[in-house]
Amino acid sequence: MSVRTQLRSLGSVFVNYVADPVRDSPVNLAMARLVIAFYVVWKTAWIDWGIFMEVPFVAFDEYAFLFPTTYPQLLVVEKYLLLVSVLLFAVGYRIRLTGFLSGLIFGHVGLLRFSMNGSGGTTAIFISVYFLFFFALFASQDELSADGVRRTGQRSLDALITQLKSTTSTTFRADALKYSLLALGIIYFGSAFDKLFPDLQKFQPEWVMPYNLSRIVTTFHATRDQLFPFSQEVVNYPVLVFVMATTVLALEAGLIVAMLAKRSITPFILGLAGFKFSSIVLLGIFFGDAIVFFLLFFTWDTAYRRLVSSRRVDVVFDERCYFCARSLYPFKLLDVNDTMTFYSQSDLPEQYRNRKGIDYTTAMYLFDEDGNAYRGYWAFRELLRQLRVFAPLAWAMGTRPVAAVGERIYEYVAANRSRHFVCSVDFDAETEL
């Protein structure tokens, strides 16, 4: 790989969705949904409202009204309601409802925590509430989700089959990430502005002066145990301290400029991430929330593309079965390298016709590059192996106990799909026409 190619690859580690919210895969949006759900669970699961109810403490009296003093047990109910809601949001079920509900409840949790502790780790909760609301507003764009699979029920069988067999590239919008990134850029720009204009009246560059950061470093080292006590030596290099402070300002203010100018945001994201890690070295504190937020805009689809197997497989399914087509739709979305080719009985290649022991009307079949045929349950397992990210699940499906149960379930569903699911196409009638 040439140096130019490596630099180009490095420059695209994070996506500038403000410049272009369209991707050729829905993977990024799905992964971002999982990241924000993880963040909400991380910030919520450890809260023990029971302890607080025993010894209530409110640092800001003006927010005391937020606490249900008459029925404090409601806080425990709220916590578990939030966890259930955000887990449903994580799998993409009723995103519009679960996203808004999670955002509202999480916002209330943030206000409660802020009334006790106004640290950066608490105020970051309000940033994630914006993200949840944006995901809810643009829920219809999230295809790789439970809602996306449910929406296939609104399409005709012919439309689904056409999409499965299509070889043309499809694009997917991610406006939730576009506006989330824009909100993050505005917040960082506001942070830089507040450092230079703390009273909104005049320019005060004291924040970037060497003595300011040196004083902060000295205070933290004098009052806290440090992992890197030698880092206090940085105060002896005022030029370095000044460069560090001005670099932070440039990164915070420049992020939104890069977005609007349609330039790469990767240098700014990496620089800000480096600033968060440098806080560990200099001050002994780490603001991990920002790192999680940055991961929302990571090029997950590029990393995922490298995981998908390059092995080409052919899948033959029952074109009269609506349920079969809907079941295969997520695999089509996840096949970012176009390694899967879908066929129905009416357009089988010659090499798959009249093969002994194969009845395409009873089960789905998968054929690999070596001509090996996999039927039913084992065909689904091969599809999961093809995607590799599901390797643990595919391995479990190959174990004897799981396979014994899985095969029986598949055979039952295949034999009764017209009774329990929609398989309404009369293939013989269509042939007569």
Side-chain angles (χ1 to χ4, degrees):
M1 183 182 295
S2 66
V3 174
R4 180 175 297 179
T5 302
Q6 291 177 342
L7 291 175
R8 187 182 297 114
S9 177
L10 180 62
S12 60
V13 173
F14 296 91
V15 184
N16 185 353
Y17 289 99
V18 176
D20 184 9
V22 177
R23 302 292 286 182
D24 59 2
S25 165
V27 170
N28 279 4
L29 192 58
M31 283 301 303
R33 188 181 68 248
L34 291 175
V35 168
I36 196 62
F38 161 80
Y39 176 79
V40 175
V41 172
W42 168 43
K43 302 292 281 191
T44 303
W46 65 269
I47 299 178
D48 190 344
W49 290 117
I51 294 178
F52 170 78
M53 289 184 289
E54 293 177 1
V55 187
F57 169 77
V58 178
F60 304 99
D61 292 335
E62 59 268 31
Y63 296 109
F65 73 94
L66 294 169
F67 289 89
T69 53
T70 305
Y71 299 102
Q73 295 82 4
L74 290 176
L75 294 178
V76 179
V77 176
E78 181 184 60
K79 169 184 174 178
Y80 287 102
L81 178 60
L82 174 57
L83 291 175
V84 171
S85 176
V86 80
L87 288 176
L88 291 174
F89 171 79
V91 300
Y93 181 75
R94 304 283 184 181
I95 297 175
R96 198 174 301 281
L97 172 62
T98 56
F100 272 121
L101 181 60
S102 298
L104 288 173
I105 300 176
F106 200 41
H108 182 244
V109 171
L111 287 171
L112 295 178
R113 288 191 55 188
F114 183 79
S115 68
M116 297 180 287
N117 180 4
S119 65
T122 298
T123 56
I125 288 177
F126 303 117
I127 301 175
S128 63
V129 171
Y130 291 127
F131 300 158
L132 288 167
F133 286 163
F134 288 137
F135 272 90
L137 283 171
F138 299 101
S140 60
Q141 297 178 355
D142 201 336
E143 287 294 311
L144 198 57
S145 62
D147 284 356
V149 175
R150 289 174 56 247
R151 283 193 293 269
T152 59
Q154 303 171 5
R155 305 176 191 175
S156 67
L157 178 59
D158 289 339
L160 283 173
I161 292 177
T162 299
Q163 189 162 6
L164 286 175
K165 296 180 180 180
S166 175
T167 57
T168 58
S169 59
T170 306
T171 57
F172 302 87
R173 290 190 66 87
D175 285 321
L177 294 179
K178 171 184 176 180
Y179 291 104
S180 294
L181 180 61
L182 186 61
L184 192 65
I186 293 172
I187 290 169
Y188 268 112
F189 183 84
S191 175
F193 184 87
D194 185 61
K195 290 179 175 68
L196 295 178
F197 297 88
D199 60 1
L200 299 180
Q201 293 181 354
K202 62 179 181 179
F203 176 66
Q204 296 180 356
E206 282 79 6
W207 191 88
V208 299
M209 294 296 103
Y211 62 79
N212 180 61
L213 181 56
S214 298
R215 182 180 68 250
I216 295 174
V217 171
T218 301
T219 301
F220 269 79
H221 277 259
T223 57
R224 301 186 181 189
D225 293 332
Q226 298 293 320
L227 291 174
F228 305 96
F230 60 85
S231 62
Q232 188 179 6
E233 294 299 318
V234 73
V235 301
N236 297 321
Y237 304 92
V239 175
L240 175 61
V241 173
F242 177 77
V243 170
M244 293 171 63
T246 54
T247 300
V248 170
L249 281 178
L251 291 171
E252 291 183 337
L255 178 60
I256 193 170
V257 175
M259 294 178 197
L260 299 177
K262 299 184 178 182
R263 302 296 182 185
S264 173
I265 63 170
T266 297
F268 296 92
I269 295 292
L270 293 179
L272 288 170
F275 164 62
K276 307 304 178 184
F277 284 108
S278 69
S279 298
I280 301 177
V281 178
L282 291 179
L283 306 176
I285 60 174
F286 179 56
F287 188 53
D289 305 64
I291 304 301
V292 177
F293 295 159
F294 295 157
L295 290 177
L296 292 174
F297 315 106
F298 182 72
T299 51
W300 297 103
D301 50 0
T302 301
Y304 170 72
R305 184 170 282 110
R306 297 176 181 177
L307 286 175
V308 176
S309 173
S310 59
R311 178 188 64 161
R312 302 201 64 83
V313 298
D314 295 332
V315 181
V316 181
F317 65 97
D318 186 353
E319 64 186 351
R320 298 168 296 182
C321 180
Y322 195 40
F323 175 71
C324 301
R326 293 183 67 187
S327 299
L328 292 173
Y329 178 70
F331 291 99
K332 178 68 175 180
L333 293 178
L334 289 167
D335 182 30
V336 294
N337 289 342
D338 295 323
T339 60
M340 302 177 188
T341 304
F342 294 89
Y343 296 103
S344 56
Q345 297 96 322
S346 61
D347 63 352
L348 277 177
E350 186 63 33
Q351 68 264 32
Y352 300 140
R353 296 179 182 271
N354 302 318
R355 293 189 59 161
K356 292 182 179 180
I358 291 182
D359 183 359
Y360 296 114
T361 63
T362 62
M364 179 185 75
Y365 280 84
L366 179 144
F367 300 92
D368 62 16
E369 292 175 329
D370 298 326
N372 298 316
Y374 300 87
R375 179 186 182 278
Y377 172 84
W378 298 102
F380 268 106
R381 178 175 181 266
E382 286 301 308
L383 284 175
L384 293 173
R385 286 186 62 226
Q386 183 75 5
L387 300 174
R388 284 184 179 169
V389 70
F390 297 107
L393 178 58
W395 174 85
M397 290 177 66
T399 59
R400 184 170 298 179
V402 176
V405 176
E407 285 183 293
R408 285 177 172 79
I409 293 175
Y410 181 90
E411 294 302 331
Y412 175 82
V413 172
N416 296 276
R417 62 185 185 273
S418 60
R419 180 152 56 100
H420 297 303
F421 308 102
V422 179
C423 291
S424 58
V425 178
D426 189 342
F427 191 67
D428 294 333
E430 287 192 352
T431 303
E432 292 175 1
L433 293 175

